[in-house]
Each structure stands twice: as C-alpha cells, then as structure tokens.
C-alpha cells in the first residue's frame, strides 16, 4: 500500500469507527446471556442485519441444535483478490453480569467516561465484532474489499461452544478459508498488543470416594477408614512436593516443541513482580524451585490443578466427625497432542495401580489445545500490521493460557489462526465493570483494515 492510499484508508477507518459507536451501543443493550438463554433470537436478528447492511450474504444455521450460528460472506471487490479468504470467528453471547452490585453503572447500558466505554460485552466480544465491521465498511468505501471475508459468529462461546464442532463438520465447505482471526486479544499493562496463535486445552475431572451412607462419630475412626484421608493420599501420589506430575503416561501424547517454537515462547514477556504483587503471592513460583523458564511452563507444559475439595465439616468451631465421602475437582490445562480421554485412562490406571480402586474419577468436559505453525507467514503479518496500526510493540504468544474451540476449526478447516481483539489491561472480561478504550477500538479497526489489505496481497 502506498502512503497516500494508506492515509485515505486510515481517515476513513477512523470516521467509520466513530460512526459505528451508536450501533455498538444498541448491540451492547441486548442482554445476550447464553448461560441464561436470554435475548438469543433478537441478537441473531441484530447481527444478521449488521452483516446485511454491509452487503453480506447471510445464513442463520440452526439445523443441528444449540443457539444459531451466523454465517456471513462478503466477496472481494472488483480490484480485490478473490482467491484469498479471511475468516473471522466471533460470538454474540456474553457472560452473566453478576455480581450486579459491583458494577458502577448498568451492565447493559453503555457508559462512556474519559474515553473508556463500560458495559457487559464491550471487550468480550461485541466491541471486537463491531471494530471488524467498521474496518470492512471503510474498505468498501475506499478501494473495495481486498479479499473475500467470511464470518462465523456463534452464540454459545461463553458456555463452552458445545455445538460448534458439529456445525463445522457439516459446513466445512461453507466456512473454508485461508486464515482465521479469532475473537479475543488485548493490550497489556505496558501497552504492548498481545496476539495469540493458539490456546491451551482444558480437561475437567471429578475424583470422589465414598465409604459410608452417613457421616460417622469420629470416635469410630479407630476402626473405620476415612475417605478424606484416602482422597488426600491418592492425590499425593499424583504430584510430588517438587510439583512433578507422577501419573504414568500423563505426558505421552505431547507434541515435542521445535527450536523455533521454544525461541518464540521465551521471547514473550513474563512480569514476575507484577504477578506476585497483583495476587499477593506468599510463595515463590514453582518454576523457580524447579529451575524452569516460566514461559516454557505456561505455554509448553500441561498442568494438574486441584480446583476445590470438599469433605466433612469445615464450618465455624469444632465438630468431630468422620466424613462419609470426599470429592475433589481437578483441571488439566493441556498442550497440543493431549486429549482429556487419554488423561482419564491414565488417572484410572494410576489409581488402580496405587491401591486406590475405591477412588472414582469421571471426566466432566474437555477441549483440545491448538497452536498455529509458528513459521506461518500469516502470524508475522498479523503482528506487523498490528504494530503499524497501534504504533506500539506487538507480542505474539504461541498460545494463550485460556481455552476455546480453536482445535475443531483447524480439524475441519486446516488454517492458521491468530487471536486479536479490542481489550486493554483493565478490560475485566467476565467481571464487573467490563470496558474498552475508544482509542483501542479505533486503532484495532485500523489493524483489521491493514491486515485485510496486506493479506490479500500476500
Ligand atoms: Zn468470554
């Protein structure tokens, strides 16, 4: 793009981003809480209309159950490259606004103060979708769309995307594209743009053991075994004091990282002091004791985490009791290659081998990890255009610590995926007072316009 063309586009993007704010407000006023099944049809209509108004071909897919998935297609303009297609993945649902009394304004009435816009869904993900649409409008008004653009906008992201795999399998041809821009991203506290080329997987389990039909007087502990001790001992056999996971086979499926990936992982910033301060940590990082690079642990290693435990009496004062049962919830953040099913088999075998056949384990849910090929030129392009649009450094994370349905996109569409969005360090997605900064909203629109233009030429 020559300088003059770039300047014209930049001005038009800024104008369109400003003009889109009223529409963003209307979108934010829709209480699209998927966990409570609220406002789904209204929101599907609203988003379909938004795409229609850009001239898109729109299909509302609902034949496989779940909340409808919106498909949108915009062909390349006359001067564009019709052989290239970029897919945007976004979602129209939001998290519940609770706890309501911690909001400083109505979560479903957009409130703008000092350049910061507050409402549920601003960062995750309604603001991000609107930012992409403003970029498309600006391109349409200037040199035309540089490539084909597709949208997949779902309504169940905030409840774990239970339907998306089935739709992607059936409609793989419809959503076929050369690359995908994913739904989230933010600037960090040092104003660097964080981009994510993958996500970790997640598998969730419940371990439990029950040894009686009612709680028992604890004097009988002299003769009756205690399920809380049983579970604690079973857990202790799975991870030692050095934080090594000792479940046999746990690491078997992991894809070995290559040199380029390790290099990228270690180039990512890790602010240990800020982390320690923001959580008020009282213990050193486990990676310090293990002599590990924290970035390696965060991005290349799986975890085995006790999320919560219950057994017996934990109220005020004393109640001597021998509990009838004990339960623990465990999550594993998985890396590419790993499956929740394999880990379940490992846990079952481990418990049997170590004399804990009374401890039952079941898998509640699992989603696999995905990481784009770190050498794919699309990743470099997203980073380069982010730096040009935001005029600040961008950091490409090989994968984020979070989870989402990226794996099934790659499974059915086979394409590189990078996540980027409108958030900032204080966006508080999922929490009270969720917000975005209007400057990021505009810069992010410009990022999308530059990216689409250069992607078409690549
Ligand atoms: Zn979310």
């Amino acid at each position: 793009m020559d300088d003059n063309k770039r300047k014209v586009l930049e001005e038009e993007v800024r104008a369109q981003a400003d003009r889109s704010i009223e529409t963003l407000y209307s979108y934010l006023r829709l209480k699209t809480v998927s966990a409570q099944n609220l406002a789904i049809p209204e929101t599907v209509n609203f988003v379909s209309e938004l795409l229609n108004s850009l001239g898109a071909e729109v299909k509302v897919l609902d034949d496989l159950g779940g909340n409808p998935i919106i498909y949108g297609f915009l062909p390349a303009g006359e001067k564009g490259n019709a052989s290239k297609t970029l897919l945007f993945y976004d979602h129209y649902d939001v998290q519940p606004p609770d706890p309501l009394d911690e909001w400083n304004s109505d979560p479903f009435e957009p409130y703008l103060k000092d350049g910061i816009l507050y409402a549920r869904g601003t960062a995750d993900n309604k603001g991000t979708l609107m930012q992409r649409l403003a970029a498309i409008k600006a391109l349409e008004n200037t040199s035309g769309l540089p490539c084909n653009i597709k949208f997949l906008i779902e309504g169940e992201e905030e409840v774990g995307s239970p339907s998306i795999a089935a739709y992607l399998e059936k409609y793989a041809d419809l959503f076929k594209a050369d690359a995908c821009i994913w739904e989230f991203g933010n600037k960090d506290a040092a104003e660097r743009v964080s981009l994510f080329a993958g996500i970790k997987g997640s598998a969730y389990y419940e371990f439990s053991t029950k040894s009686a039909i009612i709680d028992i007087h604890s004097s009988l502990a002299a003769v009756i075994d205690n399920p809380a001790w049983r579970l604690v001992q079973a857990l202790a056999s799975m991870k030692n004091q050095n934080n090594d996971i000792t479940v046999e086979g746990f690491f078997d499926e992991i894809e070995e990282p290559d040199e380029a990936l390790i290099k990228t992982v270690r180039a990512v910033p890790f602010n240990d002091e800020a982390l320690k301060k923001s959580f008020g940590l009282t213990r050193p990082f486990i990676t310090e004791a293990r002599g590990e690079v924290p970035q390696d642990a965060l991005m290349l290693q799986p975890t085995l985490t006790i999320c919560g435990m219950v057994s017996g009496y934990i109220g005020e004062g004393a109640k001597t009791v021998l509990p009838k049962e004990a339960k623990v919830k465990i999550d594993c953040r998985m890396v590419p290659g790993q499956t929740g099913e394999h880990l379940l088999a490992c846990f079952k075998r481990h418990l049997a081998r170590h004399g804990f056949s009374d401890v039952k384990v079941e898998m509640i849910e699992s989603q696999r990890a995905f990481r784009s090929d770190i050498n794919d030129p699309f990743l470099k392009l997203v980073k380069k255009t982010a730096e040009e649009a935001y005029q600040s450094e961008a950091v490409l994370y090989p994968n984020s610590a979070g989870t989402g349905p990226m794996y099934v996109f790659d499974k059915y569409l086979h394409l590189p995926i990078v996540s980027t969005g409108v958030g900032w360090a204080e966006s508080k997605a999922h929490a009270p007072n969720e917000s975005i900064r209007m400057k990021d909203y505009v810069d992010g629109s410009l990022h999308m316009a530059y990216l689409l233009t250069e992607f078409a030429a690549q």
Side-chain angles (χ1 to χ4, degrees):
M1 220 184 330
D2 64 47
D3 282 355
N4 194 37
K5 235 175 118 185
R6 186 179 280 264
K7 201 156 175 286
V8 171
L9 179 59
E10 181 178 342
E11 275 170 22
E12 183 62 18
V13 168
R14 291 187 187 286
Q16 286 305 330
D18 280 348
R19 222 166 286 163
S20 69
I21 288 171
E22 277 305 318
T23 315
L24 170 60
Y25 283 10
S26 304
Y27 190 19
L28 292 168
R29 288 186 185 113
L30 296 168
K31 300 175 182 174
T32 327
V33 179
S34 49
Q36 295 156 3
N37 206 23
L38 297 177
I40 303 296
E42 300 93 294
T43 310
V44 169
N45 284 340
F46 185 90
V47 174
S48 301
E49 272 309 307
L50 282 179
L51 293 173
N52 271 325
S53 71
L54 291 171
E57 176 197 341
V58 179
K59 289 188 207 292
V60 175
L61 308 175
D62 60 2
D63 53 322
L64 300 174
N67 292 339
I69 286 180
I70 302 167
Y71 161 85
F73 176 69
L74 290 146
E78 266 170 37
K79 288 178 278 175
N81 178 358
S83 71
K84 295 287 292 275
T85 304
L86 189 81
L87 171 67
F88 286 105
Y89 165 67
D90 288 286
H91 58 91
Y92 57 79
D93 61 328
V94 298
Q95 284 277 325
D98 309 77
L100 281 173
D101 57 359
E102 289 181 25
W103 281 82
N104 298 325
S105 58
D106 181 342
F108 293 105
E109 184 49 50
Y111 174 59
L112 183 66
K113 191 175 177 241
D114 303 329
I116 301 172
L117 179 66
Y118 299 88
R120 171 57 86 230
T122 43
D124 182 15
N125 153 269
K126 289 175 170 176
T128 302
L129 174 69
M130 289 304 300
Q131 172 202 58
R132 311 207 191 303
L133 300 184
I136 290 169
K137 185 84 193 150
L139 285 163
E140 286 182 337
N141 287 357
T142 50
S143 48
L145 291 187
C147 61
N148 302 321
I149 296 168
K150 289 183 180 178
F151 282 94
L152 188 163
I153 307 169
E154 71 151 316
E156 297 182 333
E157 197 273 344
E158 300 295 6
V159 290
S161 305
S163 313
I164 204 160
Y167 282 96
L168 278 169
E169 183 175 14
K170 178 168 179 184
Y171 294 103
D173 285 343
L174 193 64
F175 289 110
K176 198 173 170 313
D178 301 296
C180 176
I181 287 290
W182 202 253
E183 53 105 9
F184 68 88
N186 61 284
K187 285 181 106 176
D188 66 16
E191 296 295 331
R192 292 172 294 221
V193 184
S194 304
L195 308 165
F196 304 94
I199 39 105
K200 264 183 159 176
S202 171
Y204 205 85
Y205 303 92
E206 181 177 293
F207 288 61
S208 62
T209 180
K210 187 167 180 171
S211 58
I213 50 170
I214 49 167
D215 285 351
I216 302 166
H217 194 282
S218 74
S219 61
L220 286 167
V223 289
I224 298 174
D225 208 353
N226 181 327
W229 274 116
R230 293 287 299 158
L231 191 55
V232 165
Q233 283 158 349
L235 294 170
S237 74
M238 291 162 55
K239 202 176 194 218
N240 65 24
Q241 283 200 50
N242 191 41
N243 277 294
D244 303 314
I245 298 167
T246 49
V247 178
E248 245 172 73
F250 192 90
F251 299 92
D252 280 359
E253 297 176 303
I254 296 175
E255 290 165 13
E256 276 305 310
D258 62 17
E259 283 300 313
L261 176 58
I262 294 172
K263 218 177 125 205
T264 313
V265 162
R266 292 185 181 170
V268 158
F270 178 73
N271 191 339
D272 50 348
E273 285 314 315
L275 259 188
K276 283 178 180 167
K277 201 170 156 229
S278 69
F279 296 113
L281 300 183
T282 57
R283 304 253 313 140
F285 288 124
I286 62 178
T287 43
E288 284 171 26
R290 294 168 60 79
E292 276 179 354
V293 178
Q295 289 92 327
D296 286 6
L298 277 168
M299 278 171 273
L300 303 175
Q301 291 294 329
T303 60
L304 174 64
T305 301
I306 295 175
C307 300
M309 301 174 74
V310 274
S311 187
Y313 181 74
I314 52 156
E316 215 176 305
K319 180 193 176 195
T320 53
V321 67
L322 171 54
K324 64 178 177 182
E325 62 189 338
K327 277 183 194 172
V328 60
K329 302 272 191 189
I330 286 196
D331 87 20
C332 296
R333 294 288 173 168
M334 299 184 291
V335 296
Q338 289 189 293
T339 61
E341 291 77 11
H342 173 77
L343 296 185
L344 178 64
C346 291
F347 292 141
K348 284 183 174 169
R349 191 177 52 208
H350 177 92
L351 292 168
R353 276 189 189 163
H354 289 77
F356 296 106
S357 49
D358 55 316
V359 176
K360 304 278 172 262
V361 52
E362 71 174 297
M363 186 165 80
I364 294 170
E365 59 190 25
S366 94
Q367 256 187 354
R368 294 185 64 167
F370 170 72
R371 194 185 289 125
S372 302
D373 174 2
I374 210 73
N375 300 309
D376 195 294
F378 181 66
L379 276 56
K380 287 193 187 74
L381 185 63
V382 178
K383 184 171 185 285
K384 174 180 116 51
T385 48
E387 289 178 337
E388 289 166 358
Y390 286 93
Q391 295 285 307
S392 57
E393 190 192 338
V395 179
L396 182 77
Y397 291 77
N399 51 263
S400 97
T403 299
M406 266 188 199
Y407 174 80
V408 289
F409 273 67
D410 182 63
K411 182 177 177 186
Y412 296 113
L413 307 179
H414 317 290
L415 72 191
I417 304 173
V418 181
S419 201
T420 175
V422 70
W424 62 303
E426 297 294 323
S427 264
K428 301 191 172 90
H430 295 205
N433 305 308
E434 181 179 347
S435 70
I436 54 175
R437 297 182 300 198
M438 294 321 292
K439 184 180 183 312
D440 299 329
Y441 180 81
V442 180
D443 289 348
S445 268
L446 192 59
H447 179 205
M448 293 300 101
Y450 287 170
L451 173 68
L452 283 161
T453 305
E454 297 207 21
F455 170 73
Q458 199 179 47

